[in-house]
Amino acid sequence: MTKDDPAPVILIDDDSDLLRATRQTLELAGFAVSAYAVAKEALAALDRNFAGVVVSDIRMPEIDGLQLFDRVLQLDPDIPVILVTGHGDIAIAVKAIKDGAYDFITKPFAAERLAQSVARAAEKRRLVMENRALREAAEQAQEGLPLIGQTPAMERLRRTLRQIADTDVDVLVTGETGSGKEVVASLLHRWSRRAKGNFVALNCGTLPETVIESELFGHEAGAFTGAQKKRVGRIEHSSGGTLFLDEIESMPAATQVQMLRVLEMREVTPLGTNEVRPVDLRVVAAAKVDLGDADQRGDFREDLYYRLNVVTLSIPPLRERRDDVPLLFGYFAERAAARFRRAVPATSAAVQRHLKEHDWPGNVRELAHFAERFVLGLEAIAEASSPAAVRNDSSAPLPERLDRYEAEIIRETLGRNDGDVRRTIQALGIPRKTFYDKLQRHGIVRSDFSK
């Protein structure tokens, strides 16, 4: 249940007229009510995952309200139970409060009194459920599930990873900067029988063309100027394990031809020798663009794309799974608090609005850095405005709205260019000094958007 969903309420009363009237009261207040005349039927609809509030009359046949409360306590002591009582049962209700009941309401009661109590109880239950989900996510992360998220897309991704991890099939991972492509590659390695071998990662976009060939294929001593001793290449070093090639769309054309042969023949020939060495290879390649789209693929070889594209995994950007943002933020904030030895601060309305409305162009990496700054108390950064707030806050003065809009443009441009200063400045058309001045003014951290 998200914060915007109507909170579920289980209502029990053996008086049919009062049951109908109370149900109408709560539904008018915005709750999703399930009404029961018998406590036994209500208990059958309850379990530990119930995300709402129980409202029950005390005096009922067979199972009364107090017995119902005891059974709910056994199911989950954190489920809020509100007891409705007559004047003669007030002492009993007070004892129930001491035993853990959330509230009691005396008949006859005002509709507003009941609605307010249920609203407070529902908010408490929502926070309990969010905290549980956070703890479960943290436990999963420690057990090798750092792809935190409860949205269907993330559940499908984790399920697919489990299915293919031990198949030795080559995999192509697509996703925006900061979305977790290396995390996916690492999990494929750790969950496979290759886990005892090496996980070897190489970013094809960070190495010059003159170096990448030697890095991948290795070389013999004297193979070229400066090659003073033999070097085992990344491909050979990953034999028996997993080779992760990030930003493969940046691989030089000549290297692509060689890589295609390696994938087809499962053998490598280091520079400076004619010796062919067999390799037990599994390749996980990652790309920021859709290599299946000819326009986005550019100079990347189509035959290499099809050779890699045995299985394709797509990681959704954070803006397409917004329901995961609070969960991820809570996890990263807890982790940062432990790292910095600080308590997690209370989350202000401005921070909550930012979490909900910001587009997160830097994806999970940006959110993790945001959580760290939040824990460190950098409030000005934490309360940075979101694109939706910029567009919708017509009450703000014009200069303030213009400042927010400028900050939004800079963030989006940094996100598109992976935090690269040169490309961002070129796209914005402003001098370098002006760019850095604006970063400082708006509290933007460039590294949030870097690979």
Side-chain angles (χ1 to χ4, degrees):
M1 184 185 75
T2 67
K3 193 172 183 179
D4 296 328
D5 293 333
V9 175
I10 286 182
L11 174 66
I12 312 105
D13 198 318
D14 64 324
D15 185 326
S16 59
D17 292 335
L18 191 55
L19 182 67
R20 184 168 53 253
T22 306
R23 176 175 188 167
Q24 185 177 30
T25 293
L26 292 173
E27 287 179 340
L28 288 172
F31 300 104
V33 183
S34 299
Y36 300 91
V38 180
K40 184 178 180 180
E41 295 177 0
L43 285 167
L46 276 169
D47 60 26
R48 189 175 182 275
N49 295 318
F50 176 63
V53 182
V54 175
V55 179
S56 176
D57 190 23
I58 284 187
R59 291 194 177 273
M60 296 185 297
E62 296 183 19
I63 300 175
D64 64 25
L66 293 178
Q67 292 170 318
L68 171 80
F69 168 58
D70 287 338
R71 296 195 188 183
V72 173
L73 277 180
Q74 293 172 23
L75 276 176
D76 182 353
D78 290 322
I79 294 177
V81 177
I82 298 173
L83 297 171
V84 180
T85 176
H87 284 288
D89 296 323
I90 291 179
I92 297 174
V94 169
K95 182 180 183 304
I97 292 289
K98 292 179 180 177
D99 291 339
Y102 182 79
D103 195 4
F104 75 90
I105 295 177
T106 307
K107 300 176 184 176
F109 53 83
E112 185 179 355
R113 165 77 172 88
L114 176 63
Q116 288 177 348
S117 181
V118 172
R120 290 194 298 269
E123 176 63 13
K124 178 183 178 182
R125 183 60 176 169
R126 184 184 68 81
L127 292 173
V128 166
M129 298 302 282
E130 283 187 0
N131 287 335
R132 279 185 189 170
L134 173 60
R135 286 195 298 271
E136 289 169 4
E139 289 168 4
Q140 287 181 335
Q142 292 166 2
E143 294 169 4
L145 276 174
L147 290 175
I148 296 171
Q150 296 177 320
T151 51
M154 295 307 291
E155 290 177 353
R156 282 195 302 271
L157 179 58
R158 287 194 295 267
R159 189 164 56 247
T160 304
L161 283 173
R162 286 287 190 189
Q163 290 171 345
I164 68 171
D166 214 24
T167 62
D168 274 358
V169 67
D170 292 333
V171 178
L172 179 62
V173 184
T174 62
E176 296 179 359
T177 296
S179 58
K181 295 187 290 295
E182 186 163 355
V183 170
V184 167
S186 177
L187 287 180
L188 285 170
H189 175 71
R190 287 159 55 189
W191 290 346
S192 75
R193 57 179 173 270
R194 293 177 169 271
K196 294 180 180 179
N198 296 316
F199 177 76
V200 180
L202 179 70
N203 189 314
C204 302
T206 60
L207 293 175
E209 189 170 349
T210 54
V211 173
I212 191 170
E213 189 176 353
S214 173
E215 284 289 325
L216 277 171
F217 305 104
H219 62 256
E220 295 295 308
F224 52 85
T225 303
Q228 297 179 356
K229 59 182 180 179
K230 175 182 176 180
R231 176 183 174 86
V232 175
R234 302 289 184 97
I235 295 173
E236 191 174 354
H237 186 52
S238 72
S239 184
T242 304
L243 175 65
F244 174 54
L245 298 176
D246 199 5
E247 293 193 44
I248 196 167
E249 71 275 10
S250 303
M251 182 177 283
T255 311
Q256 291 180 39
V257 176
Q258 295 170 290
M259 195 67 212
L260 182 62
R261 177 174 173 77
V262 169
L263 291 172
E264 290 175 343
M265 306 303 294
R266 260 31 188 191
E267 59 187 28
V268 64
T269 304
L271 300 177
T273 180
N274 293 323
E275 181 185 353
V276 176
R277 299 173 187 169
V279 286
D280 175 14
L281 190 63
R282 186 196 197 169
V283 175
V284 180
K288 295 181 297 183
V289 300
D290 181 3
L291 295 177
D293 183 326
D295 292 334
Q296 294 188 46
R297 187 167 63 237
D299 296 331
F300 192 80
R301 293 180 63 95
E302 188 176 14
D303 51 0
L304 180 55
Y305 161 66
Y306 285 118
R307 185 62 189 78
L308 289 168
N309 188 31
V310 181
V311 174
T312 296
L313 298 175
S314 180
I315 307 176
L318 208 47
R319 64 181 174 276
E320 292 181 6
R321 52 185 186 106
R322 292 183 181 276
D323 287 347
D324 287 337
V325 170
L327 187 66
L328 283 161
F329 174 72
Y331 169 70
F332 289 131
E334 291 284 352
R335 191 176 69 174
R339 176 184 168 193
F340 300 134
R341 298 181 181 178
R342 295 192 179 192
V344 178
T347 307
S348 68
V351 171
Q352 291 177 355
R353 186 171 61 249
H354 182 65
L355 291 171
K356 181 179 180 181
E357 298 176 347
H358 185 52
D359 279 341
W360 303 105
N363 289 293
V364 177
R365 184 183 296 117
E366 180 187 357
L367 179 59
H369 292 171
F370 175 85
E372 289 178 355
R373 297 197 303 275
F374 169 76
V375 169
L376 289 171
L378 304 180
E379 194 77 10
I381 296 175
E383 296 188 1
S385 298
S386 65
V390 172
R391 289 188 289 270
N392 298 330
D393 189 7
S394 57
S395 62
L398 180 60
E400 183 179 337
R401 291 163 65 188
L402 290 173
D403 277 351
R404 293 180 183 178
Y405 188 56
E406 180 180 72
E408 175 192 349
I409 292 172
I410 293 172
R411 287 191 181 92
E412 288 181 345
T413 309
L414 277 166
R416 285 198 311 271
N417 292 286
D418 305 326
D420 184 276
V421 172
R422 183 184 59 79
R423 297 203 308 264
T424 302
I425 289 173
Q426 188 176 28
L428 292 171
I430 59 176
R432 180 177 291 265
K433 184 180 184 306
T434 303
F435 171 71
Y436 281 107
D437 287 344
K438 290 183 182 297
L439 291 186
Q440 185 174 11
R441 175 182 175 186
H442 297 301
I444 299 172
V445 179
R446 185 196 60 78
S447 59
D448 284 358
F449 306 90
S450 300
K451 278 292 294 182

